Amino acid sequence: MKKQFFLFGLLCFPIFIIAQNVGIGTLSPTEKLEIKNPLRSTLKISSNSTSDTAELLLSNKTTNGFGDFFTDFSIKSIRENGLFFSSQSDLSTNNSANSLVIRPQGNVGIGTNLPAYRFQVNENSSTNGYMNITNTATGSGATDGLLMGLAGNAATVTNLENGNLQLGTNNTTRVMIDATGNVGIGNSSPAYKLDVNGDINNNGLLRLNGAAGLAGQVLTSNGNSTDPSWTTPGLTRYVGELFGGGVVVAVWKIAGVERGLIVSLTDLSSATAWNNTGSGPNTAFDPMNGQANSNLIIAQPGHTSSAALLCDNYSSGGFSDWYLPALWELRQCFNAAFIVNTIVGATNSIKLFNTGYWSSNELQDLIFNSTRAYALDFDAASLVDKLSLKAVRAVRKF
């Protein structure tokens, strides 16, 4: 019996109870339970199998005018799913089921039981879904920041002392949002709401006040506080401009797209017949579409030569889409004759008071339409026999 008491005493020797404090490995425990070991102190709470849960429960009691309330803080090892930190309270505002989770593979989740990344924060509240990094220091150089990536080659998000938010890589500021709301891209001191230092490449629609503008419109400002706007610009080409292999004689717009008529720099002939047959094709009647009329003339049976063919074979300024003008197109050439002649000079001018220029229009008449076509000079248009010799001037459109 004495041996049994002696063994029991040896087993109990490391445990000391002083003023209700319990010490394991210490003669002077300062807490309700204190474990001390020279090398490593370990408190192990183990379960019987992988299907069990091991848990450490810490409980607080709160008393107010309405009664006692308890909050339990729990650290649980749930089967093989990881380590779970949570709190459950009689006060609903203090409840936080599984607020922090450490999975066996090392992923850490806040607000999620199944973090898919090394660190994942989830929040379903519309007001509290954020991670707050706070530096309580003040004075020059006090900053808060988030570092992402490898040391020396990392992306950084830094809240500077003056309230500016800085986004950078490789220790260089890439985006700066200052305390006034100015945004700088490649600019650490933005002076405007958007201050870009470098090129801007826009691969999509450029929108202003939600609108992308229409075809042909440009972004303009009136130079005061009014917002810029999409506007339809005036004409960019002008009558008398040397352009497109000739001289511009008319400019207009169709659905916001600029169009124009160009006359050749010289006469293609001073005396040639309308066509070699002296008749037909009896379909070239359009006073506005000389290209269509010219095609009909050249395509008629028996055709070998014509004023329309001279224009079709003509090339200038790298352009070969010239044609014999319709009557109203030819009229535009005469209306601009003063400007054209001033530019090209007397030698290459549009001639006045002479035998006139061929148009591509036939007379749409039951009696005379087969053998007569319109020629135009300074005074007026006249019906002329198709075998008569008239001057030829080519036109093209842009």
Side-chain angles (χ1 to χ4, degrees), residues 121-132:
V121 179
N122 281 10
E123 175 58 62
N124 58 12
S125 170
S126 60
T127 58
N128 295 324
Y130 57 83
M131 182 171 63
N132 188 10

Side-chain angles (χ1 to χ4, degrees), residues 163-180:
N164 295 353
L165 183 63
Q166 173 184 281
L167 285 70
T169 56
N170 298 331
N171 299 319
T172 301
T173 300
R174 304 301 181 184
V175 179
M176 175 69 76
I177 306 174
D178 71 14
T180 66

Side-chain angles (χ1 to χ4, degrees), residues 83-320:
L83 191 61
F84 294 76
F85 297 78
S86 63
S87 66
Q88 297 294 326
S89 174
D90 293 334
L91 298 173
S92 59
T93 55
N94 287 349
N95 282 339
S96 180
N98 299 334
S99 57
L100 173 63
V101 176
I102 303 176
R103 300 286 291 173
Q105 73 273 32
N107 289 356
V108 177
I110 296 178
T112 175
N113 289 342
L114 299 172
Y117 309 97
R118 282 296 180 235
F119 185 61
Q120 181 174 340
V121 179
N122 281 10
E123 175 58 62
N124 58 12
S125 170
S126 60
T127 58
N128 295 324
Y130 57 83
M131 182 171 63
N132 188 10
I133 302 173
T134 302
N135 184 352
T136 58
T138 58
S140 177
T143 62
D144 298 334
L146 176 64
L147 181 67
M148 296 171 287
L150 301 175
N153 189 27
T156 58
V157 181
T158 306
N159 180 18
L160 303 178
E161 178 195 9
N162 54 10
N164 295 353
L165 183 63
Q166 173 184 281
L167 285 70
T169 56
N170 298 331
N171 299 319
T172 301
T173 300
R174 304 301 181 184
V175 179
M176 175 69 76
I177 306 174
D178 71 14
T180 66
N182 290 348
V183 178
I185 300 178
N187 184 352
S188 60
S189 302
Y192 309 98
K193 288 305 178 186
L194 179 60
D195 199 339
V196 180
N197 183 11
D199 297 334
I200 298 177
N201 181 22
N202 182 44
N203 292 322
L205 293 176
L206 178 61
R207 297 184 180 274
L208 184 71
N209 296 324
L214 303 176
Q217 289 187 316
V218 296
L219 187 60
T220 60
S221 172
N222 59 8
N224 56 31
S225 59
T226 304
D227 290 339
S229 61
W230 293 107
T231 59
T232 302
L235 299 171
T236 57
R237 307 263 77 94
Y238 58 90
V239 174
E241 180 183 7
L242 288 170
F243 176 74
V247 183
V248 177
V249 295
V251 185
W252 64 92
K253 280 189 175 182
I254 299 177
V257 180
E258 189 169 302
R259 295 285 184 262
L261 183 69
I262 300 171
V263 68
S264 60
L265 295 172
T266 62
D267 289 346
L268 275 60
S269 173
S270 59
T272 194
W274 194 79
N275 67 355
N276 64 289
T277 65
S279 64
N282 304 327
T283 52
F285 302 139
D286 194 330
M288 299 176 61
N289 193 341
Q291 182 68 75
N293 293 338
S294 296
N295 293 341
L296 292 170
I297 296 168
I298 295 172
Q300 74 176 106
H303 173 274
T304 58
S305 62
S306 63
L309 185 60
L310 283 177
C311 297
D312 189 68
N313 290 335
Y314 179 66
S315 179
S316 177
F319 299 94
S320 58

Side-chain angles (χ1 to χ4, degrees), residues 378-398:
F378 182 77
D379 292 326
S382 57
L383 279 169
V384 183
D385 187 276
K386 292 178 179 178
L387 295 177
S388 300
L389 302 180
K390 297 291 182 181
V392 178
R393 199 89 172 198
V395 297
R396 61 177 297 269
K397 289 178 181 175
F398 66 87

